[in-house]
Amino acid sequence: MIFPVNIARPEGGGVPGVQAGLFSAGFRRRFLQSVIPVCCGRLPVYFLAVFFLFSAFTGLRAQSGARPQAFITGVVKCGGEPVEMASVYWAGTAVGVSTGRDGAFRLNVPAGRRTLLLTVALIGYRTVEIPVEQPVTKSFFEIELEEDTHTLNEVMIVGKSATRKINELAYNVVAVEVKQFHNSTMDLSHALDRVSGVRIRESGGTGSSFNFSLNGFTGRQVKFFIDGIPMENFGSSFQINNIPVNLAERIEVYKGVVPVSFGADALGGAINIVTGSRMNNYFDASYSFGSFNTHKSCINAGYTSPQGFTVQANLFQNYSDNNYPVDVDVADLSTGLYENRRVKRFHDNYRNETLIVNAGVTGKRYADRLLVGVTLGQNRADIQTAARMDRVFGARFRRGNIVMPSIRYAKKDLFVRGLDVNVTGNYNLGFEQTVDTVARQYNWLGEYKEKPAPGGELSRTLYRYNNHNGLLTANVAYKINARHSVMFNDVFNVFDRTGSDAANPDNEEARLPRKTVKNVAGLGYKFDYSERWNTSVFVKYFTQSTSSFTTVYYTSAGTVYPELKTRFDRLGYGLASAYFLMTDLQLKFSYEKSYRLPENEELFGDANTLLGNTELRPESSDNVNVGLNWNIVAGRDHGLIFDGNLVVRNAVDYIRPQQNTNGTHQVMTNQRDVMNVGYNGEVRYSFRRLLTAGVNVTYQNLRNNTRYEEGSTRESTVYRDRIPNMPYLFGNGDVNLFFPGAGGRHNNLSIGYNLLFVYEYYLRWPSQGAAGSKYTIPTQLSQDVNVTYALRDGRYNISAECRNITDAGLYDNFSLQKPGRSFSVKLRYFIGR
């Protein structure tokens, strides 16, 4: 179950002047007294320095003599009692606040609009809308809310979204409010791992590479977005497995058909990480420490002046030794004999630091939001093993960074009412490098013997490459009337990799450019017949051009690198429809003919464990989704949700990873025909606001449908085999207990339990090999517990977690062992409005 986060406010929160005073001297003094003594020994110094510079700057802005913008004040009540945490905003803009403990609010009036719609909304209450004409003649509003019993009970049982509009879309989508995880040490990938149909498969501990699976489709077949912007070619310094969960407010999981507004070449679904907030001013700082010398810290802060000037900053870092125990065969370097032992990983340190800053204006006549920003980050990761654990390293490592300027523009009702425009752009100047210059052979005890020099542990290299990647997105939507709307989206991406290898300066191949140009354009139409039925239809046009080189060959004149150019263009299409059979029983259907264009790392490799394959073909799929969602409310105490989905995929040229012949690398290959028929379901129960429990199960029957291999008339030996190295039966369960008022009126205690189950599956084709010699990833059962205590309505928080409490053996990605039992503690301070 998801509850809104209760945000504590200083006395008098919501009254005039509060926006200018959030980062006042009093605020900074309280922060110093309460948070710094606890965290100063661990939080990176530069985080604190940035915070003080940031707060001093915003304090100066608040006290400057700039001409004040028009504003209104008011109070929100229900039955004469003040209502806290109600959202008060101007419809169609990004200008909004939340009411304080006394129900009061202060709201800037955006310039340039003749008619405004003052909106007050809170889950469990009927939304109030008040037309306001400019210039505003009334400065104080007293607003009375009415309880909405239906909505209140629905929120009590919803385990997937507090944003009902998302779940009522015709697409098969689950929206997860992640505020419930803000006091945990999870990153975004672990939060997603609790959604039905989703599996996150990691190669190790903190910062390790991962593979994302959604209803049988994996890796880059599922696209990731952050606030609707594709996360393409961001590099290793900014991925969902190193982004703290505190950065997001909501995660939207589209299972299958993806709305045209995303402009994605997704084959199996999309993940949209929503970070936006209605709060003008906020500060969120956290620090956690745990097993394997793991330290994580995060600071999120934002300030909006009365004149609409906005600045936002997100800083986070992760560090871990990742020295957890593993069960492996240890080689005797002298005799070559092996002995199975339990040892600690000794070369798996990981660290990353990231800063995201955006500044601009909001609520202006020419822009609801105009922000210019930059993302700066770096990471370094030791490489402990190859694609399997029988090859161990002791000095090999990788590193990279991200330097990405960006711009965002959004305007509703541009030129005419109902015309909304969003434009974004970014350009990544970061680099990636793998370093392998130590000529040694290691075993799992950290012992080594020298190899002939010069050389490396796997292959001597200092190959460093820059992925110059530019991205431009444009989204235009026009609401013709209450029933009809149209939308156009275009995503344009350019990629240019250049590199060199200082360890092999004569390697001309390393310096050859590798380029791609990709564009996905979409046009959609939506028909809202009534609140019970809506339908969307769309078309997408996919194009991709690549430039690289083919197999190298030698002549008497020297080495020849023939240029290889390819071009692909196809038209995709689809529809999605949703109908409420009853008030709380919704049926969904969607179909899409979709294409997925090969990603740059799949084509050109990552200079680490993934080899490039320039002959990789785009994959296509006919996707069908049928979903049923039923909310059952029994009085005001009990609630149930049933959610079930049928997924059918018929894929051609399905792209999947496989090991190379010696097991040291992976390479992406095309599997000509693959069919998947899958099911996933979820049941959730809640009792008042004291208990929630849920369970979800996913089954996916992903089969090789290629009867005859290319150039052969004999039936394939693996025809109708289950696709290997792919979990096909897994699920999650959780129970959460809440104790409001524990230790004080404004304090809350919660205790949670989570279970993850994965049934055993084959590492390689099931039909190949003798029965007793087949590699399998065994059945896994992982259990986690957590306790969180929140004081002063969530201003001060402390939580403790234990993951994998039974210390069970967990494996992923070609049988790579994951961490066993671990403990962590997190401290968090939050204030905002």
Side-chain angles (χ1 to χ4, degrees):
M1 181 176 78
I2 314 314
F3 294 130
V5 174
N6 293 321
I7 304 171
R9 291 167 178 75
E11 294 301 322
V15 298
V18 72
Q19 288 181 333
L22 175 62
F23 289 93
S24 63
F27 171 85
R28 290 191 291 270
R29 183 176 62 252
R30 290 194 299 274
F31 175 81
L32 286 169
Q33 293 172 348
S34 58
V35 177
I36 295 299
V38 177
C39 300
C40 191
R42 298 292 186 183
L43 280 174
V45 174
Y46 69 88
F47 274 20
L48 302 178
V50 171
F51 163 67
F52 284 118
L53 290 173
F54 178 73
S55 58
F57 173 71
T58 53
L60 289 173
R61 287 284 309 181
Q63 298 172 32
S64 66
R67 184 179 54 169
Q69 183 178 354
F71 64 86
I72 62 171
T73 61
V75 64
V76 178
K77 297 181 179 181
C78 179
E81 295 295 322
V83 176
E84 183 184 9
M85 283 301 297
S87 296
V88 184
Y89 59 96
W90 301 110
T93 76
V95 181
V97 295
S98 298
T99 57
R101 198 175 298 170
D102 54 1
F105 67 89
R106 178 186 189 272
L107 183 65
N108 291 335
V109 179
R113 295 189 179 217
R114 185 170 182 180
T115 303
L116 296 165
L117 191 63
L118 180 63
T119 305
V120 182
L122 180 64
I123 295 171
Y125 298 85
R126 298 184 184 277
T127 300
V128 173
E129 297 180 335
I130 305 172
V132 177
E133 297 289 334
Q134 292 218 65
V136 178
T137 57
K138 182 179 179 181
S139 61
F140 185 83
F141 291 78
E142 185 169 340
I143 302 170
E144 187 75 14
L145 296 183
E146 295 181 8
E147 284 193 4
D148 186 342
T149 303
H150 168 76
T151 305
L152 179 62
N153 286 333
E154 185 174 90
V155 171
M156 288 174 58
I157 65 173
V158 166
K160 294 185 285 189
S161 175
T163 308
R164 192 178 180 188
K165 289 183 179 179
I166 298 296
N167 280 349
E168 288 186 356
L169 292 174
Y171 302 92
N172 185 4
V173 56
V174 173
V176 181
E177 291 287 352
V178 298
K179 290 181 180 179
Q180 62 176 331
F181 303 130
H182 280 183
N183 288 324
S184 76
T185 60
M186 286 192 292
D187 51 43
L188 289 176
S189 64
H190 287 103
L192 280 165
D193 206 20
R194 300 189 178 189
V195 177
S196 63
V198 171
R199 277 292 292 128
I200 302 293
R201 306 169 62 203
E202 298 174 295
S203 61
T206 301
S208 63
S209 60
F210 71 97
N211 190 292
F212 185 89
S213 171
L214 176 62
N215 287 335
F217 283 79
T218 65
R220 295 167 177 85
Q221 293 166 336
V222 181
K223 296 295 184 179
F224 287 85
F225 299 80
I226 184 162
D227 293 324
I229 303 172
M231 293 179 63
E232 293 194 16
N233 301 300
F234 277 18
S236 58
S237 296
F238 194 75
Q239 298 291 326
I240 65 165
N241 67 332
N242 60 25
I243 301 176
V245 73
N246 298 65
L247 191 69
E249 289 191 352
R250 184 177 71 251
I251 304 176
E252 299 165 1
V253 182
Y254 293 85
K255 303 178 179 180
V257 178
V258 180
V260 70
S261 59
F262 289 107
D265 58 325
L267 197 72
I271 310 297
N272 185 35
I273 302 163
V274 180
T275 67
S277 173
R278 291 193 183 279
M279 292 181 295
N280 288 332
N281 304 315
Y282 57 93
F283 182 79
D284 185 347
S286 63
Y287 165 73
S288 68
F289 58 94
S291 300
F292 319 124
N293 195 28
T294 301
H295 302 269
K296 300 180 179 182
S297 51
C298 178
I299 292 178
N300 300 316
Y303 168 77
T304 301
S305 74
Q307 292 77 31
F309 171 76
T310 298
V311 60
Q312 302 166 344
N314 310 102
L315 306 96
F316 58 88
Q317 65 83 218
N318 302 282
Y319 175 84
S320 181
D321 286 344
N322 285 322
N323 57 343
Y324 58 89
V326 291
D327 298 302
V328 293
D329 291 328
V330 179
D332 186 312
L333 297 178
S334 300
T335 65
L337 300 178
Y338 289 86
E339 176 188 6
N340 189 269
R341 295 178 59 176
R342 188 171 180 84
V343 299
K344 285 188 175 182
R345 296 172 74 97
F346 64 92
H347 179 67
D348 202 15
N349 290 4
Y350 174 82
R351 67 171 179 84
N352 86 294
E353 301 86 31
T354 301
L355 165 66
I356 307 169
V357 177
N358 289 284
V361 294
T362 58
K364 296 296 184 180
R365 177 182 302 178
Y366 53 86
D368 294 334
R369 185 178 297 270
L370 176 59
L371 298 176
V372 177
V374 65
T375 299
L376 304 172
Q378 62 180 0
N379 78 95
R380 185 188 188 280
D382 293 339
I383 302 174
Q384 180 71 90
T385 69
R388 287 183 53 83
M389 293 181 67
D390 52 10
R391 186 70 179 270
V392 59
F393 305 130
R396 184 180 170 93
F397 69 92
R398 61 178 172 84
R399 61 188 175 192
N401 72 359
I402 178 173
V403 180
M404 187 175 70
S406 63
I407 186 170
R408 301 183 186 186
Y409 173 82
K411 183 71 176 76
K412 291 182 179 293
D413 299 328
L414 180 68
F415 305 130
V416 296
R417 189 174 185 84
L419 180 63
D420 302 338
V421 176
N422 286 272
V423 179
T424 68
N426 62 59
Y427 196 88
N428 185 11
L429 301 167
F431 79 88
E432 302 289 332
Q433 183 180 31
T434 297
V435 177
D436 187 352
T437 58
V438 178
R440 291 174 178 172
Q441 178 185 349
Y442 281 85
N443 66 10
W444 273 107
L445 299 178
E447 301 168 343
Y448 64 87
K449 66 179 182 181
E450 301 290 345
K451 297 166 61 176
E457 295 182 80
L458 182 61
S459 176
R460 181 176 176 83
T461 181
L462 281 170
Y463 181 53
R464 169 175 167 151
Y465 59 87
N466 292 82
N467 286 338
H468 290 170
N469 181 76
L471 182 71
L472 181 65
T473 72
N475 196 77
V476 180
Y478 180 59
K479 189 169 185 177
I480 303 171
N481 54 40
R483 290 190 175 183
H484 305 279
S485 58
V486 293
M487 176 176 292
F488 172 78
N489 179 279
D490 190 81
V491 177
F492 178 73
N493 184 288
V494 293
F495 174 88
D496 184 2
R497 175 184 290 185
T498 56
S500 61
D501 188 352
N504 301 282
D506 297 328
N507 185 357
E508 185 179 348
E509 182 178 335
R511 295 191 295 272
L512 293 176
R514 298 159 173 86
K515 302 178 180 181
T516 63
V517 177
K518 182 171 71 172
N519 192 81
V520 180
L523 181 65
Y525 163 76
K526 184 180 180 184
F527 176 57
D528 290 289
Y529 180 77
S530 65
E531 291 186 359
R532 296 186 63 179
W533 177 46
N534 68 82
T535 295
S536 299
V537 295
F538 57 87
V539 293
K540 295 180 182 179
Y541 186 63
F542 306 85
T543 62
Q544 183 181 42
S545 300
T546 66
S547 176
S548 58
F549 57 91
T550 60
T551 304
V552 178
Y553 64 90
Y554 305 92
T555 68
S556 58
T559 307
V560 178
Y561 300 89
E563 186 177 20
L564 174 65
K565 289 188 176 183
T566 64
R567 178 175 173 81
F568 174 87
D569 57 271
R570 290 290 189 279
L571 186 69
Y573 46 86
L575 64 89
S577 187
Y579 182 75
F580 278 93
L581 303 173
M582 299 187 301
T583 303
D584 292 317
L585 180 61
Q586 186 184 34
L587 177 66
K588 296 182 179 183
F589 172 83
S590 58
Y591 165 79
E592 180 179 22
K593 175 67 174 181
S594 184
Y595 294 88
R596 209 273 289 183
L597 310 175
E599 294 292 332
N600 299 304
E601 285 192 350
E602 295 174 324
L603 292 168
F604 309 129
D606 66 355
N608 183 21
T609 58
L610 181 63
L611 299 176
N613 181 1
T614 55
E615 298 180 357
L616 204 59
R617 298 184 298 273
E619 54 187 336
S620 65
S621 179
D622 292 282
N623 303 330
V624 176
N625 299 271
V626 180
L628 194 66
N629 181 274
W630 191 14
N631 295 327
I632 302 175
V633 178
R636 296 179 64 89
D637 292 340
H638 305 278
L640 275 173
I641 269 192
F642 294 93
D643 186 79
N645 298 283
L646 167 66
V647 178
V648 180
R649 304 277 189 272
N650 185 21
V652 177
D653 287 328
Y654 178 84
I655 298 176
R656 72 175 190 90
Q658 71 177 38
Q659 284 182 297
N660 65 342
T661 53
N662 60 10
T664 59
H665 292 82
Q666 296 182 41
V667 63
M668 308 305 292
T669 60
N670 290 106
Q671 191 71 37
R672 199 178 72 189
D673 298 314
V674 172
M675 173 68 97
N676 180 34
V677 179
Y679 315 87
N680 61 74
E682 182 172 15
V683 179
R684 297 202 65 83
Y685 166 79
S686 72
F687 174 70
R688 297 181 182 174
R689 293 182 178 269
L690 303 177
L691 178 145
T692 66
V695 61
N696 66 69
V697 177
T698 298
Y699 173 78
Q700 50 197 28
N701 192 18
L702 199 63
R703 298 280 178 171
N704 173 29
N705 225 27
T706 305
R707 187 162 190 171
Y708 300 100
E709 301 292 346
E710 292 184 16
S712 174
T713 58
R714 296 182 59 183
E715 182 174 284
S716 170
T717 58
V718 294
Y719 173 59
R720 297 303 298 163
D721 260 18
R722 193 182 300 279
I723 298 297
N725 195 37
M726 181 77 67
Y728 64 90
L729 179 60
F730 53 89
N732 283 279
D734 67 89
V735 178
N736 297 279
L737 299 172
F738 304 92
F739 303 91
R745 178 182 176 187
H746 297 288
N747 301 341
N748 294 279
L749 174 68
S750 63
I751 302 174
Y753 167 83
N754 189 76
L755 178 145
L756 169 66
F757 167 79
V758 181
Y759 190 67
E760 72 172 358
Y761 54 97
Y762 284 109
L763 177 62
R764 297 191 173 94
W765 290 109
S767 294
Q768 295 182 341
S773 63
K774 297 180 182 180
Y775 288 107
T776 62
I777 289 86
T779 297
Q780 301 168 64
L781 189 68
S782 175
Q783 304 173 72
D784 309 333
V785 293
N786 63 83
V787 178
T788 299
Y789 189 56
L791 296 86
R792 295 193 62 185
D793 293 326
R795 176 173 297 183
Y796 307 98
N797 307 270
I798 181 170
S799 60
E801 297 179 65
C802 178
R803 295 184 182 176
N804 194 4
I805 56 179
T806 62
D807 200 27
L810 304 178
Y811 300 86
D812 257 335
N813 277 0
F814 296 104
S815 296
L816 297 175
Q817 191 169 346
K818 297 166 63 176
R821 180 168 47 234
S822 64
F823 300 90
S824 62
V825 175
K826 182 174 181 176
L827 308 174
R828 178 173 175 246
Y829 175 85
F830 177 83
I831 185 171
R833 62 182 50 80

